[in-house]
Amino acid sequence: MRKVVISEFMDEAAIAAELAGFETLYDPTLVDRPDALRAALAGASGLIVRNRTQVRAGLLAAASDLRVVGRLGVGLDNIDLAACAARGIAVHPATGANDGAVAEYVIGTALLLLRGAYGASAQVAAGAWPRNALMGREIAGKRLGLVGFGAIARQTARRAAALDMTVAAFDPHLAPDDAAWRPAHGAVASLTLDALVATSDVLSLHVPLTEATRDMIGPAAIARMRPGAILINAARGGVVDEAAVAAALRSGHLGGAALDVFAQEPVDAAGGAALIDVPNLILTPHIAGVTRESNVRVSAVTARAVRRSLEG
């Protein structure tokens, strides 16, 4: 009987339904117990991970029978793709299964940060009435800038257009005549990165972490952003210089920011100290793509891909 190890949280109903007939070891604590994970992989044909399990040479060396890695999500920077290819190990991300969840996170967060009215519960309950201080901004008429214009960014653009935002994007991998720039909900302007950064009211990142994208939104790029602009990173940690974001919020140059991903996850003590008590900063634990609904979809898609790979 083929064995599948699952090292991070997953929908248990999907495991039961889609991996029936396999020996499954589901233990979401394995991601934090690397020795136990390596031991569990002895004799395993399949491994299912999220973003925290590092599928590198050391882990692969302990998994001599491994044939497939399923990724509960789309980013693959935690998986050594070259090493997997050299071993003939298939890698299957859950492409498309959580696109809508991330898009909703971006739009919802932009609304929250622009309006700025939702942190006054204690004051109102105590009898204060800070109406003037909470006079925020509308999202209609603002420009949403998307760094990267793949599937998630396109879902975000569709939702933004429904709220009467204008949308622009930077994506060097899309040809100027690609149909993606002319969706049914209205054309998306194709800009250079510098122009996009300088003209967006809300700048949202949708790129993988590569050497080309590492720290692409650093002090210089942030300085070029419009005063009062909103920055949202629900893509990959390391794309944004977190300390520079905090400094720009403290100075008042940025109007708000949301970081769902970090260079170090979980955030370490040094990184966290720089982000404490920063005004208009939202921090979430890599949760933009994880909802109850998307977890079911992602789990089912990944489990099916692992089954197909092992039965093929």
Side-chain angles (χ1 to χ4, degrees):
M1 182 181 294
R2 294 187 179 94
K3 177 182 177 183
V4 177
V5 175
I6 305 161
S7 64
E8 299 184 61
F9 71 90
M10 183 175 174
D11 180 62
E12 294 188 46
I15 298 172
E18 307 296 344
L19 295 176
F22 291 94
E23 177 189 350
T24 56
L25 172 58
Y26 174 52
D27 185 349
T29 72
L30 285 173
V31 64
D32 295 312
R33 299 187 295 126
D35 290 342
L37 176 56
R38 283 191 291 270
L41 286 170
S45 301
L47 171 64
I48 295 178
V49 304
R50 284 192 182 267
N51 62 292
R52 292 184 56 220
T53 304
Q54 299 300 305
V55 186
R56 310 291 183 197
L59 190 66
L60 292 171
S64 57
D65 297 318
L66 195 65
R67 289 178 49 192
V68 59
V69 177
R71 166 71 169 91
L72 294 157
V74 294
L76 296 173
D77 47 281
N78 61 311
I79 300 173
D80 188 334
L81 297 176
C84 287
R87 285 263 308 272
I89 298 169
V91 177
H92 293 288
T95 303
N98 66 354
D99 293 359
V102 179
E104 286 189 7
Y105 175 97
V106 172
I107 296 300
T109 304
L111 284 162
L112 183 71
L113 286 169
L114 284 167
R115 195 62 187 265
Y118 303 106
S121 296
Q123 291 173 274
V124 172
W129 209 245
R131 294 184 73 194
N132 290 347
L134 298 178
M135 191 181 298
R137 294 175 284 171
E138 297 176 5
I139 203 167
K142 303 294 188 294
R143 166 172 277 180
L144 172 66
L146 300 163
V147 181
F149 198 49
I152 294 174
R154 295 173 201 182
Q155 289 263 14
T156 307
R158 181 168 65 84
R159 288 161 172 77
L163 293 170
D164 292 330
M165 298 188 82
T166 62
V167 183
F170 163 75
D171 195 320
H173 304 294
L174 275 182
D177 60 350
D178 195 292
W181 300 113
R182 300 181 302 280
H185 51 69
V188 174
S190 174
L191 300 180
T192 66
L193 180 59
D194 283 348
L196 187 74
V197 167
T199 61
S200 296
D201 300 293
V202 178
L203 188 70
S204 181
L205 308 183
H206 298 271
V207 293
L209 178 62
T210 66
E211 287 310 307
T213 63
R214 188 178 298 277
D215 288 330
M216 72 186 305
I217 306 299
I222 292 170
R224 292 196 299 273
M225 291 178 68
R226 285 180 169 176
I230 303 297
L231 175 66
I232 301 173
N233 185 17
R236 278 293 174 269
V239 174
V240 167
D241 183 326
E242 296 157 19
V245 172
L249 289 167
R250 291 186 190 280
S251 73
H253 175 63
L254 286 182
L259 302 177
D260 183 57
V261 289
F262 304 86
Q264 176 70 41
E265 295 184 3
V267 176
D268 59 20
L275 301 174
I276 294 174
D277 294 328
V278 177
N280 299 322
L281 175 63
I282 295 172
L283 306 177
T284 52
H286 206 140
I287 200 74
V290 184
T291 61
R292 294 178 184 178
E293 296 88 348
S294 73
N295 185 46
V296 171
R297 292 192 301 269
V298 165
S299 297
V301 165
T302 304
R304 286 178 201 138
V306 168
R307 173 178 283 280
R308 284 196 302 269
S309 188
L310 293 178
E311 291 181 338

